[in-house]
Each structure stands twice: as structure tokens, then as C-alpha cells.
Amino acid sequence: MSAPATGRLAAIFGCLGPELSPQERAFFRDADPFGFILFARNVETPQQLRRLTAELREAVGRDAPILIDQEGGRVQRLRAPHWREWLAPLDMVSQAGDAIRAMWLRSRIIAHELRGVGIDANCAPCADIATESTHPFLKNRCYGFDTDTVSQIAAAVADGHLAGGVLPVIKHLPGHGRATADSHKDLPTVTTARADLQRHDFAPFRSLNDLPMAMTAHIVFTAYDAQHPATQSPVMIDVIRREIGFQGLLMTDDLNMQALAGDLASRTAAAMAAGCDLALHCKGDMAEMLAVAGACGGQTAATQARAGRALAARRTPDPVDIEALEADLRHVMADRGHKPMAEAHV
């Protein structure tokens, strides 16, 4: 790895509540992280959220990217009554007359909602391939059970976001679908042979390796590295870069997840030493953010180059008629007698 650069921190941080505290504002100003991530605890109303995203950017004095997890179903931070409630992705895919079109339309509408409150990156698409044994925390967040279906729908999801001026963050490299444990609580171990992983699990990510940003998986793949989860494995980061061919900006999954061992400083240091570009810390706890900041260091020259390319992919949204998109989506779903949203809320 190249030597760390001084200046902008190689991190993405959350904040504690719906507005910044003076302590958070000062910390973000001094640390200058790459960007920020929001959760339900940060969300009240559209007006409040626009203020918060503006405050975050003001704290660092630039147009920093602001991320969120707005997949739909269980994993969506913007909810009714101010935002649409979506079906879980796998449910929507299974119910749509044209799943690729439905997921593009859904993603374009989600991007429109995100941009409306100052959010310009979404942690989607999920290109993990579901199996019958995939842990329930992930299974209905997937798009299908085979490589072609997942690859095509993930591409549509990414394209819908990009058309709406929102950067997609593909996850979870190099593939989370075989995990039978919840990495929020335990460390999953996958014992599948290399040839099967390369042919099956890695394939959707390989087909989308030109996307600007991606997130790692906290999973051990024994065929490659039986000691370290992918996030902290130089071997697996090399697989992501070489076998899968992803050359974009690579962030960790949340470093607070209990799949990882040790304190936050050691977790962060191990991920950065393995080759991750950015450390993701979501909790908004100041003491923990200080520990992550002390361990991740400044962005390397390679990270700075990848970050520049990723941010250059942000663009002004294409002109859109949201009512027409909603009507199109209702038509696509009506082909099979279903509604696109969890509460038919438009």
C-alpha cells in the first residue's frame, strides 16, 4: 500500500441525532471524513433532513457525499408518512410482471426522494445471491437465486440510482448469499470451493465491477483465507480487485458489527491494512468515532484517486416525471395483480 496522505480522513461517519451537536460539528470539521451516513435516528421530516444534510456539508466545507440504506422492506431509513414504503426487494421481484423494469422504476423513484433531502449515495444494489439457507436478515433483501437474475436486476437498480443523481454502493463484496449467520451478531463462515465461488457468487459483482463504490462483507471464505473475514483479509481484497475486477472506492461494512473481533481501533486498522479504502462507522458515538479516526488515518493516494472518480460519477438528475414513473410501476406490478409498495402509499 502507498503511504497515507495527510488531510481528508479515510472514513465515513454517522451522527447521533436529527441535528448536529456543537461537539459533532467541531469533530467533523477537524477530522474531515470522506462522507457521512444516516439512519432512522437522524430522520424526522423532509425539512429537518434537508437541514441536517446541509449542516453536515457545512461542517466539512464541501459537497461531501451523504449515504443511507434505502433498500426497501426492512432496510429503509426514510419511511411513511413522508416517504414511500416499499416491498422487500425479493418480494417485489417475485411479484413483478417485469422485474428488471420494476426495480429500475423503483430505484429511480427512490433516488428522486433521496436527492430531495440532500442524500446522494445509497447502499444498494445488493448483488448477493440468495439460497434456501441464506440467513433471514439478508434473504429477502436479495434480488434472486441465480447469477443472471441478480446481475440484471442489480444493474437496473444501479442505473436507476445513477439516472437520479445518486451514487449506488454495491454490496456485499465478494458475496454474502451463502452466509447462514447474521454478521451483525456472529462471524459467518463459508466453506464453498473457489471454483464455485468464482462461477456463482462472484459473478454479479464481476458484471458490475465498473460501479463507483462498493461495500465489503464481514465473512470468512475458507477456500481463500480461513483466518480473516473479507473486510480484514488482504487475500480477499485482492480477490475483489483482481478476480472480480472492482477498481472503485471500497468501504468496509459497519465496523461495529459483531462479526469482527477486537476493539474498534484494531478492527479499523486491520481493515485498512487489508486494503479497504474507507472505514465505515455508523453508530454516531463520539468516543468510538475518535477511535476509528485515530486508526484509519488519511486517504492514500490510490484512495484519493478512486474517491475522485466516484464523486465524478455524481451528476445532475435526468429530467423526470415522477407521476408517470409511478403509473408505469403500478402497471408493471398490476400485470401480476400486485402493488409496488408495502402500503400502497404513493
Side-chain angles (χ1 to χ4, degrees), residues 140-224:
N140 72 353
R141 298 164 59 193
C142 299
Y143 304 151
F145 295 84
D146 64 88
T147 59
D148 289 345
T149 297
V150 173
S151 297
Q152 292 176 45
I153 294 175
V157 170
D159 289 346
H161 281 88
L162 288 166
V166 172
L167 293 175
V169 181
I170 189 170
K171 59 188 185 185
H172 305 81
L173 271 79
H176 211 304
R178 292 186 193 268
T180 58
D182 180 353
S183 55
H184 293 87
K185 301 176 181 179
D186 300 291
L187 176 60
T189 297
V190 171
T191 59
T192 306
R194 288 191 182 198
D196 292 331
L197 292 169
Q198 292 164 357
R199 175 184 55 81
H200 184 75
D201 303 64
F202 299 172
F205 297 101
R206 191 180 301 114
S207 71
L208 297 169
N209 62 16
D210 59 346
L211 288 181
M213 299 171 71
M215 179 184 292
T216 63
H218 298 334
I219 299 177
V220 168
F221 294 87
T222 60
Y224 288 91

Side-chain angles (χ1 to χ4, degrees), residues 40 42 53 60 77 81 93 164 171 202 210 235 249 264 267 269 272 280 290 293 301 313 325:
N42 307 120
T53 55
V60 293
R77 315 308 182 192
V93 166
K171 59 188 185 185
F202 299 172
D210 59 346
V235 174
L249 191 65
L264 273 169
R267 294 179 186 191
M272 305 310 287
L280 176 65
L290 287 167
L325 293 186

Side-chain angles (χ1 to χ4, degrees), residues 224-225 228-238 270-271 274-275:
Y224 288 91
D225 183 348
H228 306 97
T231 300
Q232 298 174 329
S233 169
V235 174
M236 294 312 300
I237 301 302
D238 189 64

